[in-house]
Amino acid sequence: MDKKTKGTFTLRRLFPSLQEDDLIKFQENSSVIRLKKGQNLFISGDTPRSIYGVANGCLKIVRESQEGESVITRIVRAGQIVGIREVFGEFKYGRTSVALKDSEVFSIEKTIVIDLIQRSPAVSLQFMKIFCNELARLEKRIESDLYRPAKNRVASVIFELYNLFADEGAQTFEPPLNRRDIAELADVTPETVSRAIADFKQSGIMETQGSAFTILDTNSLQNEAEER
């Protein structure tokens, strides 16, 4: 298994197809926001003024339920862009973004992004690719919810958390998420998460102690996560 590459994403890695002049323009009009774990990048109801590229760390996107509880809808990892839909759609944020661990985020001004898109076909194509990737992610999530067994969806979430929060070469990690959070990301009940973890433990794939996971068989967990 190829572990996620550790380190900071640069603007070049976030926008690999941009010409040097356009990249310099982005660089000149961007700033780096450093977030401590638990800090908000934006809050539901805010008016968008920038798009954001996660350079290091990761964020969770949450919405408020009718009961006033926060429900996690997505994890944004290093190398991903957030806020494009709100900037181009010209509507306020419908979700809140929270740092799951200390993170660095590129903030690129809305006016600069729109200006470059209007002037540069290469920039327009770059953002079309980002939109297509986001659409593919959403379609995959819908297909997963419709067709994949709940146990495999739980494995997929745990495998993603392992890649996000385990130190290089480590088997044990402690994600800043509880079983309810994992259930929300997998679109299952907390009881289903508990049953799936019990099955994985019985199969020798993992062990748990409190909120910590120890992955004993990474390949088997990955196979469970990718099984259709």
Side-chain angles (χ1 to χ4, degrees):
M1 181 200 66
D2 291 326
K3 288 280 288 176
K4 181 181 73 66
T5 301
K6 305 293 183 180
T8 299
F9 275 73
T10 63
L11 281 175
R12 168 59 70 192
R13 293 177 72 191
L14 288 170
F15 303 103
S17 301
L18 290 188
Q19 299 296 319
E20 195 64 30
D21 289 347
D22 292 332
L23 195 66
I24 291 173
K25 187 73 171 176
F26 270 0
Q27 185 75 54
E28 291 174 342
N29 292 275
S30 69
S31 58
V32 175
I33 299 173
R34 292 178 174 82
L35 299 170
K36 292 293 186 182
K37 177 182 174 181
Q39 283 188 313
N40 295 326
L41 178 61
F42 54 77
I43 298 174
S44 178
D46 283 352
T47 298
R49 295 181 175 83
S50 301
I51 65 167
Y52 303 102
V54 180
N56 201 19
C58 62
L59 313 172
K60 66 178 178 179
I61 306 299
V62 300
R63 66 173 173 83
E64 296 294 327
S65 69
Q66 293 182 346
E67 293 76 23
E69 297 181 339
S70 294
V71 178
I72 299 177
T73 61
R74 179 188 176 193
I75 291 179
V76 184
R77 62 171 65 199
Q80 294 182 328
I81 312 293
V82 67
I84 293 179
R85 183 186 64 170
E86 289 80 5
V87 164
F88 293 161
E90 298 184 340
F91 48 79
K92 295 182 178 181
Y93 293 113
R95 305 286 189 270
T96 296
S97 174
V98 186
L100 277 172
K101 58 182 180 179
D102 292 354
S103 303
E104 294 178 329
V105 180
F106 283 108
S107 173
I108 306 172
E109 296 178 13
K110 169 184 176 179
T111 54
I112 298 302
V113 174
I114 293 176
D115 177 65
L116 282 176
I117 285 176
Q118 291 173 339
R119 291 192 296 103
S120 170
V123 175
S124 298
L125 181 60
Q126 178 76 81
F127 278 95
M128 286 179 64
K129 289 179 178 179
I130 294 172
F131 273 123
C132 289
N133 288 336
E134 180 64 12
L135 181 60
R137 183 192 67 81
L138 291 172
E139 288 178 345
K140 184 177 180 181
R141 172 73 182 269
I142 292 171
E143 289 174 356
S144 175
D145 288 349
L146 288 174
Y147 303 117
R148 297 184 69 209
K151 179 181 175 182
N152 298 125
R153 301 206 301 270
V154 173
S156 182
V157 172
I158 295 174
F159 185 66
E160 180 179 15
L161 296 177
Y162 169 65
N163 280 285
L164 283 172
F165 296 105
D167 292 332
E168 194 69 38
Q171 289 181 296
T172 300
F173 69 104
E174 188 169 356
L177 300 173
N178 56 35
R179 301 291 171 89
R180 176 177 172 271
D181 296 328
I182 293 173
E184 290 169 1
L185 287 167
D187 199 19
V188 298
T189 65
E191 291 76 18
T192 298
V193 171
S194 296
R195 286 195 297 270
I197 290 175
D199 286 344
F200 297 146
K201 292 168 70 173
Q202 186 174 9
S203 300
I205 294 175
M206 70 176 65
E207 290 291 344
T208 62
Q209 184 171 5
S211 58
F213 291 79
T214 298
I215 308 303
L216 304 174
D217 188 339
T218 305
N219 289 331
S220 292
L221 178 61
Q222 185 174 11
N223 290 337
E224 289 280 358
E226 296 176 351
E227 185 175 331
R228 292 184 176 275

